[in-house]
């Protein structure tokens, strides 16, 4: 049934494939030319260096054993005395000033910085230059709230030394969930910056961090402020033995002046000390009626520390009173409605003649220990001496409310004031007339051809020819002032001293 | 020596005097009322300047010699009384009240 069958295989040739022809060939690079050379140093030299401890060199002076020193001094002393006497009495160099560098003789606006993202909704509430003088920070907010603050603003910084500075885009933008009312860079650490908000929170940012720059915040509790923080300021810690330790002081419309200390380990701020200003501290003319309760708090609008004695400071208040205070004051205050973990004392040691409206800024002179300036809503600028109740000088520029005033860091007799009409006024106390030497237009133009009020200004401590101003439209202008205004005249301090020092004969 | 101290005190007590330094002919300070580093700085720089001033005066007129050198700067005035063996340097602030 089944048988084996072998079938032949069937093949068929492809009718479209052609035979491929193959050829083999080879290639070879030409001979590589190789050369071998060796070298070897034969001579050796060994040299060592070592720094010498320099302090040993002149720890002692040369000993003089020749005994001629006394004779030499005897010979030379009369000539020296005569010259010393002449120098004190001479007027030869009185008006003689030499300028070595070219410098600029005009005032110009070199930068106009804005944050385009805000779109002009917010005003500049505070300006601060950092400890190196290269970065300027601005806090945005509004002064005209009617109730709760629901704005979302930010703290912006610009580094003016960068080549690719974009004037409409800040280098760093730190978001804040309410309006920021003030800001201050740390005096020695260029990365730390503090700010106070409308909700009463004091925040410290660390700009050297990568993501969340908020270092610490005072939070909203019984211990912190309940009303907008009007000013934050860094003050050297006099009680600490180490140099470079600073305390953060914040003042607010709730009358409290709180002193915060930063814990080194946890990097959090804690309430260290506190003061409160109450109705009973006000002078009698400012207390509206006798039935006004003495234990109601009075809002504090500005604070400034004395440049020589860091224990003493001045504050300006909402009714217009100006007080001299001390960090170690221990006045009793009625308990009132304040709940606080630290006893809040009265800091007032002396009351000055008051302004007729809220005092918007108070500043001690960086050169003279008794002179300070105040500016207020009553459109006047006053120069006070710490020792006298009445102001030494009252200036009324007639340009509306004076929002801020600052002393120059390089010239003892120069100060700036910013006005409601959008001007930056520069005053020179060495001039005889009480008029500003310069009026700069610092506010941006608004719709009705008026200028926006300039709310704050700040001199640059390191580059003394720069001053920055911030206006109500959110624009910051950095001005370069002429050399004649930045280099101090030799008699500046003397003239300031003459104005401010009280002599017993007068 | 008491006399040297007295003289130093008298000069230092003058109005506006910031410091007094005596330097020897090699430019090394002998006595001073200022701190170490400032003294060394003044001693080195001023003795070089005084030597240059002296050679300038003598080059112009070989019969002449330097008697006193005053350098006035924005902040103060440095007065130098030169001699063969020593140099007296006094720094004064003429505007000091």
């Amino acid at each position: 049934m089944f048988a084996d069958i072998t079938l032949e295989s069937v093949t068929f040739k492809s009718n479209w494939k052609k035979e491929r022809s193959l050829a083999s060939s080879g290639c070879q690079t030409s001979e590589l030319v190789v050369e071998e050379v060796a070298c070897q140093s034969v001579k050796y030299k060994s040299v060592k260096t070592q720094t010498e401890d320099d302090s040993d060199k002149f720890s002692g002076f040369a000993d003089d054993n020749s005994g001629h020193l006394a004779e030499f001094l005897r010979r030379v002393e009369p000539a020296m005395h005569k010259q010393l006497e002449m120098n004190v009495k001479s007027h030869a160099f009185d008006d003689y000033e030499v300028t070595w560098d070219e410098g600029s003789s005009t005032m110009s606006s070199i930068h106009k910085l804005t944050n385009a993202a805000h779109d002009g909704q917010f005003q500049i509430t505070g300006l601060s230059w950092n400890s190196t003088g290269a970065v300027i920070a601005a806090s945005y907010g509004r002064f005209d709230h009617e109730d709760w603050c629901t704005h979302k603003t930010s703290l912006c910084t610009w580094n003016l030394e960068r080549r690719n500075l974009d004037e409409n885009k800040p280098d760093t933008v730190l978001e804040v969930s309410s309006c920021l009312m003030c800001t201050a860079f740390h005096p020695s650490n260029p990365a730390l910056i503090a700010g106070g908000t409308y909700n009463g929170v004091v925040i410290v940012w660390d700009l050297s961090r990568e993501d969340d720059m908020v270092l610490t915040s005072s939070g909203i509790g019984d211990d912190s402020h309940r009303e907008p923080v009007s000013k934050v300021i860094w003050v050297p810690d006099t009680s600490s033995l180490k140099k470079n330790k600073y305390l953060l002081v914040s003042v607010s419309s709730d009358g409290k002046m709180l002193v915060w200390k930063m814990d080194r380990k946890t990097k959090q701020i804690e309430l260290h000390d506190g003061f409160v200003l109450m109705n009973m501290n006000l002078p009698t003319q400012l207390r509206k009626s006798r039935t006004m309760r003495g234990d109601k708090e009075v809002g504090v609008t500005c604070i400034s520390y004395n440049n020589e004695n860091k224990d003493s400071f001045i504050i300006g208040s909402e009714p217009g009173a100006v007080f001299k205070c001390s960090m170690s004051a221990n006045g009793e205050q009625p308990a009132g409605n304040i709940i606080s973990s630290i006893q809040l004392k009265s800091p007032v040691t002396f009351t000055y003649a008051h302004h007729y409206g809220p005092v918007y800024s108070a500043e001690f002179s960086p050169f003279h220990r008794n002179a300070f300036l105040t500016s207020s809503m009553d459109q006047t600028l006053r120069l006070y001496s710490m020792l006298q109740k009445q102001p030494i000088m009252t200036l009324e520029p007639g340009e509306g409310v004076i929002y801020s005033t600052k002393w120059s860091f390089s010239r003892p007799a120069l100060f700036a004031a910013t006005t409601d009409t959008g001007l930056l006024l520069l005053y020179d106390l060495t001039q005889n007339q009480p008029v500003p030497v310069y009026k700069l237009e610092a506010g941006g133009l608004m719709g009705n051809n008026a200028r926006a009020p300039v709310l704050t200004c700040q001199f640059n401590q390191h580059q003394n020819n720069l001053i920055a101003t911030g206006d109500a439209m959110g624009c910051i202008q950095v001005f370069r002032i002429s050399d004649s205004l930045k280099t101090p005249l030799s008699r500046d301090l003397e003239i300031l001293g003459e104005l401010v020092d009280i002599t017993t004969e007068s | 020596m008491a006399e040297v101290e007295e003289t130093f005190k008298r000069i230092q007590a003058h109005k506006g005097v910031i410091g007094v330094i005596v330097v020897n002919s090699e430019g090394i300070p002998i006595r001073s009322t200022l701190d170490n580093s400032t003294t060394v700085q003044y001693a080195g720089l001023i003795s070089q300047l005084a030597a240059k001033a002296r050679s300038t005066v003598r080059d112009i007129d070989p019969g002449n010699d330097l008697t006193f050198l005053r350098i006035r700067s924005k902040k103060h005035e440095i007065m130098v009384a030169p001699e063969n063996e020593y140099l007296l340097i006094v720094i004064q602030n003429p505007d000091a009240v």
Side-chain angles (χ1 to χ4, degrees):
Chain A
M1 235 183 16
F2 293 111
D4 284 322
I5 300 185
T6 50
L7 288 171
E8 280 175 26
S9 65
V10 180
T11 60
F12 50 89
K13 278 210 175 96
S14 154
N15 59 359
W16 60 273
K17 257 194 191 167
K18 295 218 174 61
E19 278 272 330
R20 293 232 171 137
S21 60
L22 297 167
S24 87
S25 73
C27 65
Q28 165 100 23
T29 54
S30 56
E31 279 254 344
L32 285 171
V33 177
V34 182
E35 246 182 66
E36 195 178 302
V37 175
C39 69
Q40 169 92 23
S41 62
V42 183
K43 292 190 197 151
Y44 292 96
K45 240 185 184 160
S46 148
V47 176
K48 289 185 197 160
T49 62
Q50 164 98 24
T51 53
E52 241 175 47
D53 199 9
D54 210 20
S55 57
D56 292 341
K57 229 179 171 189
F58 278 123
S59 60
F61 293 153
D63 279 325
D64 173 68
N65 295 323
S66 63
H68 296 303
L69 183 57
E71 287 170 38
F72 160 69
L73 284 176
R74 218 178 295 136
R75 274 196 299 266
V76 162
E77 200 192 338
M80 192 58 83
H81 266 292
K82 193 167 128 220
Q83 196 55 56
L84 286 166
E85 283 290 319
M86 267 173 53
N87 266 348
V88 177
K89 295 189 192 132
S90 151
H91 289 287
F93 291 99
D94 264 359
D95 286 320
Y96 179 66
E97 295 296 332
V98 178
T99 36
W100 279 97
D101 24 49
E102 291 296 319
S104 55
S105 57
T106 52
M107 323 275 287
S108 53
S109 164
I110 51 174
H111 290 295
K112 253 200 180 113
L113 308 165
T114 55
N115 184 350
H118 281 310
D119 209 17
Q121 309 176 291
F122 296 116
Q123 305 168 330
I124 306 273
T125 51
L127 279 177
S128 178
W129 292 94
N130 78 343
S131 58
T132 59
V135 177
I136 181 163
S139 58
Y140 286 86
R142 289 199 76 89
F143 281 115
D144 51 358
H145 290 97
E146 285 187 359
D147 45 40
W148 291 116
C149 173
T150 47
H151 299 126
K152 296 228 175 308
T153 63
S154 55
L155 178 71
C156 302
T157 70
W158 285 263
N159 186 337
L160 298 178
E161 313 256 304
R162 284 223 183 123
R163 251 182 285 162
N164 51 346
L165 168 72
D166 183 350
E167 292 193 347
N168 291 324
K169 189 169 173 296
D171 292 326
T172 349
V173 178
L174 299 162
E175 302 280 334
V176 184
S177 55
S178 69
C179 281
L180 264 178
M181 306 308 287
C182 54
T183 178
F185 259 111
H186 192 274
S188 60
N189 185 340
L192 290 181
I193 178 166
T197 68
Y198 192 80
N199 296 338
V201 182
V202 173
I203 315 178
V204 180
W205 288 273
D206 183 348
L207 299 174
S208 59
R209 280 189 174 186
E210 291 283 309
D211 4 303
D212 183 19
M213 292 189 190
V214 176
L215 183 63
T216 171
S217 133
S218 70
I220 305 181
D222 285 332
D223 271 349
S224 61
H225 294 289
R226 298 309 198 96
E227 299 260 330
V229 179
S230 27
K231 199 121 190 264
V232 279
I233 184 171
W234 293 93
V235 179
D237 189 353
T238 45
S239 63
S240 144
L241 292 165
K242 296 194 200 158
K243 281 202 309 180
N244 255 350
K245 280 257 160 244
Y246 288 90
L247 297 168
L248 184 61
V249 176
S250 60
V251 293
S252 148
S253 317
D254 65 1
K256 289 200 234 174
M257 283 154 274
L258 300 176
V259 180
W260 305 90
K261 198 170 196 167
M262 190 172 291
D263 191 321
R264 247 184 325 130
K265 296 190 198 101
T266 62
K267 296 280 183 199
Q268 298 297 313
I269 44 173
E270 308 169 325
L271 190 56
H272 174 69
D273 204 357
F275 303 95
V276 70
L277 191 64
M278 296 207 151
N279 267 333
M280 55 173 242
N281 296 116
L282 289 179
T284 30
Q285 298 100 325
L286 284 183
R287 270 183 256 178
K288 304 250 176 51
S289 63
R290 273 187 291 139
T291 53
M292 194 154 84
R293 294 170 54 179
D295 61 350
K296 270 284 193 204
E297 302 94 35
V298 172
V300 180
T301 49
C302 49
I303 180 172
S304 173
Y305 276 76
N306 191 322
N307 69 315
E308 271 181 35
N309 176 7
K310 289 300 173 189
D311 210 34
S312 121
F313 61 96
I314 44 161
I315 50 176
S317 60
E318 273 171 17
V322 180
F323 299 104
K324 173 169 110 155
C325 310
S326 161
M327 292 285 267
S328 41
N330 227 336
E332 280 291 312
Q333 288 282 36
N337 288 332
I338 316 171
I339 320 161
S340 166
S341 61
I342 292 193
Q343 171 78 357
L344 293 173
K345 314 173 283 262
S346 159
V348 178
T349 54
F350 188 69
T351 311
Y352 295 99
H354 56 97
H355 273 279
Y356 300 100
V359 180
Y360 283 133
S361 89
E363 288 289 324
F364 260 111
S365 165
F367 291 95
H368 198 287
R369 65 175 180 278
N370 282 341
F372 66 91
L373 281 171
T374 57
S375 82
S376 148
M377 199 185 85
D378 64 358
Q379 307 188 10
T380 61
L381 253 180
R382 291 185 184 185
L383 172 66
Y384 283 87
S385 158
M386 223 167 76
L387 312 165
Q388 182 180 285
K389 184 171 169 152
Q390 294 298 328
I392 309 273
M393 193 158 66
T394 306
L395 293 162
E396 218 165 327
E399 300 279 352
V401 174
I402 305 191
Y403 283 106
S404 83
T405 175
K406 289 267 167 18
W407 291 94
S408 158
F409 286 113
S410 54
R411 270 197 73 187
L414 184 70
F415 60 91
T418 64
T419 72
D420 200 25
T421 51
L423 297 176
L424 172 68
L425 306 172
L426 290 167
Y427 282 90
D428 183 351
L429 290 170
T430 55
Q431 303 293 324
N432 283 328
Q433 300 132 334
V435 287
V437 285
Y438 272 102
K439 280 189 190 183
L440 290 169
E441 288 170 354
L445 276 174
M446 297 195 297
N448 51 348
N449 248 352
R451 294 202 160 267
V454 183
L455 301 174
T456 170
C457 65
Q458 191 74 254
F459 277 97
N460 188 331
Q461 200 159 2
H462 290 266
Q463 295 189 50
N464 17 6
N465 58 349
L466 293 183
I467 173 171
T469 59
D471 72 2
M473 294 209 309
C475 174
I476 304 162
Q477 285 211 52
V478 179
F479 289 93
R480 176 179 288 134
I481 56 178
S482 61
D483 278 349
S484 61
L485 288 185
K486 81 159 180 180
T487 39
L489 298 179
S490 49
R491 296 200 65 228
D492 261 9
L493 191 54
E494 209 185 308
I495 293 179
L496 178 60
E498 271 169 34
L499 277 174
V500 172
D501 286 329
I502 321 289
T503 56
T504 48
E505 295 128 37
S506 62
Chain B
M1 283 172 55
E3 198 192 330
V4 171
E5 301 298 335
E6 285 285 320
T7 317
F8 258 70
K9 268 201 205 125
R10 269 200 298 271
I11 301 181
Q12 181 78 17
H14 238 277
K15 214 174 178 203
V17 170
I18 300 171
V20 187
I21 307 171
V22 175
V23 177
N24 72 1
S25 49
E26 288 167 22
I28 302 175
I30 300 176
R31 303 288 275 276
S32 165
T33 62
L34 298 168
D35 61 284
N36 235 350
S37 48
T38 321
T39 303
V40 166
Q41 207 175 16
Y42 268 105
L45 294 168
I46 301 287
S47 47
Q48 282 178 37
L49 186 62
K52 185 72 181 176
R54 183 163 186 243
S55 71
T56 308
V57 169
R58 285 170 72 93
D59 277 355
I60 294 174
D61 178 5
N64 207 350
D65 203 349
L66 179 71
T67 53
F68 207 86
L69 178 63
R70 282 168 65 189
I71 303 161
R72 193 165 181 116
S73 72
K74 270 192 195 156
K75 294 185 188 167
H76 35 239
E77 178 156 334
I78 305 168
M79 280 161 286
V80 185
E83 267 229 355
N84 220 353
E85 291 179 52
Y86 305 100
L87 207 68
L88 173 67
I89 304 169
V90 177
I91 304 134
Q92 180 195 33
N93 179 4
D95 294 326
V97 170

